[in-house]
Amino acid sequence: MPVTQSPPISFTDTAVAFASKSDLELRKMYALFAAMNNNTLVKAGGGMMKAALKWKLPVKFLIKKTIFEQFCGGETIQECLPVIEELGRYNIGTILDYSVEGEGSDQSFDHTRDEILATIDLAHRSTHIPFSVFKVTGVADSALLEKVQSGQALSSVEQASYERAKARVDAICARAHQYGVRVFVDAEESWFQTTIDELTYEMMAKYNRESAIVWNTYQLYRHDRLEAIQQAYAAAVQGKYFLGGKLVRGAYMEKEGRVATQRGYQNPINPTKNATDQLYDDALRYCVAHADRISICAGTHNEASSLLLTELMHEADLRPGDPRIWFAQLYGMSDNLTYNLANAGYNTAKYVPYGPVEAVMPYLLRRADENTAIAGQSSREFLLIQKEITRRKAQK
């Protein structure tokens, strides 16, 4: 019979959520999220920040000590080491996310490949880095990926460029396999996602024979993604390899709708948020039911989905620390999820973006614009911080 009682975990326990923060750090977070709670201020501030960076005004120190410090690990891997160690103290892993976009040249693509290889090397030496991650567009031209997906013939120059891109992807996955480090391949826009999927499954068939080393990412705001997971599972069974899947809701919703309208095809995004939430939870159910071959990471800030996954694990008699099941949130957000899950023994990790301030800030601002989960989260974060400040005052 299924177990009806939920595991003992609370996402409102702010004492656990903010255990790593001093009173001063908590007040600093309070001020930052209070500002982020003001939509007008966020929009105006984002515009001014972009302009200041573009015109090379002396604002880098201010940015680095406020929003950058809250949401990024540092400008280099070396600067991220204290963050990695601090999270590790609370049994929380770090996923170093090199958030600098390539300039479209082979030189920039090679540089990104080398940076990802460096994160894998560090993960191999550290007990606190369970995954590495990369975007295929960091090592390959997106227009070329789109052309491949459309079925158009490539010129000899384009074919050579595509082969170099595939070689970069293979180099990353080969190093990950060599060191036993799991690597996420991030999801991107639908008009070249199929190319990314096919590359990723090729890498899985090559490197996931003993365990899930290469993991694909599924954006469940797309109405066809559960079907994609099911097809990938069938292929993994037939190919006798393991499937790794990071489940997210998605990050390009407005762009997807706009491009679908411009190009005259059906919007691939679910019609409502409720439909996306349902599909996400159905995907969790499917993956847990097929944990014999599927390993998953629930990359979500959604409390209901996170709690559901703990319940599904409980019902399937999977212990909290089962190596096939992970939870992940962005660094600087949803500590009430991450720290309470880790405290209860679940495998948890933080996505920690890093890179030069000038390069990373546009990325973070775009994520804030595109991802409604981030925009809608600030109020929740603000209230939880308020609650913890009040709790601490009452204890003094």
Side-chain angles (χ1 to χ4, degrees):
M1 290 184 61
V3 179
T4 56
Q5 185 176 0
S6 300
I9 188 169
S10 168
F11 295 141
T12 59
D13 188 337
T14 58
V16 171
F18 300 111
S20 67
K21 305 299 182 187
S22 67
D23 289 350
L24 180 61
E25 289 170 328
L26 204 60
R27 287 195 295 271
K28 187 175 178 180
M29 288 174 63
Y30 177 86
L32 181 61
F33 279 100
M36 288 179 62
N37 230 15
N38 186 322
N39 289 333
T40 303
L41 184 61
V42 168
K43 290 179 180 178
M48 288 188 291
M49 205 176 297
K50 289 177 184 177
L53 289 170
K54 180 180 179 181
W55 293 103
K56 300 188 185 304
L57 298 178
V59 296
K60 179 177 175 179
F61 177 79
L62 177 62
I63 294 172
K64 191 167 183 179
K65 296 305 292 183
T66 53
I67 190 169
F68 182 90
E69 190 177 82
Q70 176 68 27
F71 298 113
C72 296
E75 294 195 82
T76 64
I77 291 177
Q78 192 68 27
E79 283 189 13
C80 292
L81 295 180
V83 171
I84 295 167
E85 290 301 314
E86 177 65 16
L87 290 171
R89 285 181 54 215
Y90 294 88
N91 297 317
I92 297 167
T94 292
I95 305 167
L96 288 173
D97 184 11
Y98 183 57
S99 300
V100 178
E101 298 181 357
E103 299 169 357
S105 67
D106 276 336
Q107 183 179 7
S108 70
F109 292 148
D110 288 345
H111 174 75
T112 298
R113 174 204 59 203
D114 293 344
E115 189 71 25
I116 305 308
L117 291 175
T119 68
I120 294 172
D121 292 346
L122 180 60
H124 173 56
R125 301 192 305 269
S126 173
T127 58
H128 302 317
I129 306 178
F131 297 92
S132 287
V133 61
F134 73 102
K135 287 183 182 295
V136 172
T137 53
V139 296
D141 182 73
S142 60
L144 188 57
L145 298 174
E146 184 178 356
K147 191 168 184 179
V148 171
Q149 180 161 317
S150 70
Q152 298 178 57
L154 302 183
S155 68
S156 58
V157 172
E158 289 172 330
Q159 186 63 46
S161 178
Y162 188 53
E163 292 304 321
R164 289 194 297 274
K166 290 173 66 175
R168 294 184 194 103
V169 171
D170 187 75
I172 291 169
C173 296
R175 183 73 61 85
H177 178 261
Q178 177 187 353
Y179 286 153
V181 174
R182 292 159 291 208
V183 60
F184 291 139
V185 181
D186 268 346
E188 304 193 53
E189 289 88 342
S190 63
W191 47 93
F192 53 86
Q193 181 61 45
T194 300
T195 308
I196 293 172
D197 288 344
E198 290 173 353
L199 279 171
T200 305
Y201 295 140
E202 184 180 334
M203 295 298 104
M204 285 189 191
K206 190 173 182 179
Y207 296 116
N208 286 15
R209 294 292 172 178
E210 297 87 22
S211 63
I213 293 293
V214 181
W215 296 44
N216 202 12
T217 302
Y218 300 93
Q219 300 189 107
L220 273 304
Y221 68 0
R222 283 184 55 178
H223 55 71
D224 63 348
R225 289 300 87 183
L226 176 54
E227 183 180 351
I229 294 171
Q230 293 167 337
Q231 291 172 348
Y233 172 76
V237 170
Q238 185 176 10
K240 297 180 180 179
Y241 58 86
F242 291 90
L243 177 65
K246 174 160 64 81
L247 309 186
V248 300
R249 278 169 167 77
Y252 307 100
M253 185 168 67
E254 293 179 5
K255 189 175 184 181
E256 288 282 357
R258 184 171 64 251
V259 172
T261 299
Q262 291 170 350
R263 299 186 182 183
Y265 60 79
Q266 181 187 359
N267 190 340
I269 306 302
N270 285 314
T272 65
K273 184 181 183 302
N274 284 340
T276 293
D277 290 342
Q278 184 62 54
L279 195 63
Y280 190 95
D281 291 348
D282 286 346
L284 291 179
R285 293 184 179 96
Y286 180 83
C287 291
V288 172
H290 296 83
D292 59 315
R293 195 167 291 272
I294 302 180
S295 295
I296 62 167
C297 176
T300 181
H301 292 231
N302 186 286
E303 294 183 16
S305 293
S306 299
L307 185 60
L308 172 64
L309 182 51
T310 67
E311 292 169 346
L312 291 171
M313 292 175 67
H314 191 54
E315 291 169 6
D317 200 26
L318 299 176
R319 59 186 177 84
D322 190 295
R324 295 167 295 183
I325 313 288
W326 283 79
F327 299 77
Q329 289 81 40
L330 292 173
Y331 180 66
M333 294 184 61
S334 295
D335 287 348
N336 63 309
L337 296 184
T338 315
Y339 281 79
N340 278 295
L341 284 165
N343 188 59
Y346 292 92
N347 297 319
T348 62
K350 285 288 196 185
Y351 250 70
V352 180
Y354 77 96
V357 171
E358 299 83 355
V360 173
M361 281 311 306
Y363 160 83
L364 289 178
L365 291 172
R366 186 167 61 255
R367 287 295 297 270
D369 288 338
E370 292 174 342
N371 191 328
T372 55
I374 294 178
Q377 193 77 9
S378 57
S379 295
R380 175 67 168 155
E381 301 283 354
F382 186 57
L383 292 174
L384 288 168
I385 294 166
Q386 274 187 321
K387 179 182 175 182
E388 176 59 11
I389 289 173
T390 301
R391 187 194 70 82
R392 292 187 185 186
K393 285 181 178 177
Q395 286 189 334
K396 290 180 179 178

